[in-house]
Amino acid sequence: MAELLRYISEGVTLLADSHAAGGVTFAFTERTGGVSEGDCASLNLGDACGDDPASVAENRRRALAAIGAASCAGALVAPRQVHGDRVASVRESAGPALEASRAAARAGADAVVCTARDVPVLLCFADCVPVVVCAPGGFAVAHSGWRGTVAGIAGKAAGALMRETGAAADELDVYIGPHVGASDYEVSPELAERFRGLFGDGSVAGERNLDLAFCVRASLESAGVPAGRIACCDDSTASHTDRFFSYRAENGHTGRHAAVAVMSSGDAPAWEPRPLS
């Protein structure tokens, strides 16, 4: 069963499952352990926040080292996220095919399905919902803000991964990472009603507090993923800015944490995380 625990690896604090399906190593990063300063302190992994590019590069190096992927940093796929439902695919580990996949992702995508070994994938967040789907033979990483949630990006990513790998839904392990919780996410009455119409009453807490995780779960379950294969971080980014970046709580002046994953060419994931109590 999928389970998220806190670990520390190479000085970086992570949320992860060291027993994810398919030999995939993944993590949701926290905001500490990096070199960025000011609003982006300290492990900012986003390259569109106004942060020093050299600091972002060093932070990404540290994040990849923390999941045992330092040696394949040159193959990193980091899409330009556009709050849509496009799923990019990575099937080759090197050469023109990999470069074409990286270029397509940078043209705009909010999920990446990867069946290539030694190709790390990184997507950035600061309240939106990060989703990692692990399967025998590959993984997917998705970015689900409210627009992407309406578009069903999480379920589409899971479906694309099953098609690419031939895995059945009950072979997947799915992880919903740190995101803004319903208690911190009041939206307009019109948007609340839109979500109620799409996902039912459970999508909105009270009058108009949006529960994105509930909706993302619904999207995944609509793709056939059993509820018991989905693990979720319930710590709201907006209430825990000591651990996570929050666009909402920090008035837009903040960095980005990440979901990062890789499928190693070795027999086992190349990391040795130390659990935190």
Side-chain angles (χ1 to χ4, degrees), residues 24-269:
V24 175
T25 303
F26 81 93
F28 302 110
T29 64
E30 298 196 6
R31 72 181 294 167
T32 54
V35 299
S36 294
E37 299 179 347
D39 293 335
C40 291
S42 66
L43 192 73
N44 169 50
L45 299 169
D47 59 5
C49 309
D51 196 5
D52 176 15
S55 296
V56 176
E58 171 60 16
N59 290 341
R60 289 185 172 187
R61 186 199 68 77
R62 292 185 182 199
L64 292 176
I67 65 164
S71 63
C72 48
L76 177 67
V77 176
R80 182 172 63 89
Q81 298 161 219
V82 294
H83 293 272
D85 66 347
R86 181 171 176 270
V87 181
S89 297
V90 181
R91 302 182 179 95
E92 300 292 336
S93 299
L98 173 60
E99 291 309 311
S101 295
R102 295 174 74 184
R106 289 302 292 178
D110 284 275
V112 176
V113 169
C114 183
T115 54
R117 294 187 178 275
D118 297 325
V119 176
V121 173
L122 182 149
L123 275 71
C124 294
F125 306 85
D127 286 337
C128 294
V129 184
V131 181
V132 174
V133 188
C134 302
F139 64 88
V141 184
H143 162 253
S144 191
W146 76 258
R147 292 178 179 84
T149 301
V150 166
I153 185 66
K156 289 177 180 178
L161 179 61
M162 287 187 280
R163 290 191 295 274
E164 289 282 342
T165 62
D170 61 3
E171 294 181 283
L172 305 182
D173 283 332
V174 184
Y175 306 87
I176 298 173
H179 58 278
V180 63
S183 62
D184 294 314
Y185 195 22
E186 187 175 79
V187 299
S188 69
E190 295 78 14
L191 189 58
E193 284 307 307
R194 184 177 180 185
F195 271 82
R196 281 195 182 96
L198 288 169
F199 298 102
D201 289 340
S203 61
V204 180
E207 291 297 318
R208 52 193 182 99
N209 283 67
L210 188 56
D211 189 340
L212 282 178
F214 177 93
C215 304
V216 169
R217 282 181 178 274
S219 176
L220 291 162
E221 290 176 26
S222 72
V225 180
R229 306 290 296 193
I230 304 170
C232 183
C233 171
D234 293 323
D235 295 328
S236 174
T237 48
S239 291
H240 295 84
T241 53
D242 57 326
R243 293 175 56 196
F244 308 112
F245 297 106
S246 172
Y247 191 92
R248 193 175 184 89
E250 297 174 283
N251 299 312
H253 303 292
T254 192
R256 301 292 186 272
H257 45 261
V260 58
V262 69
M263 185 169 61
S264 172
S265 59
D267 294 332

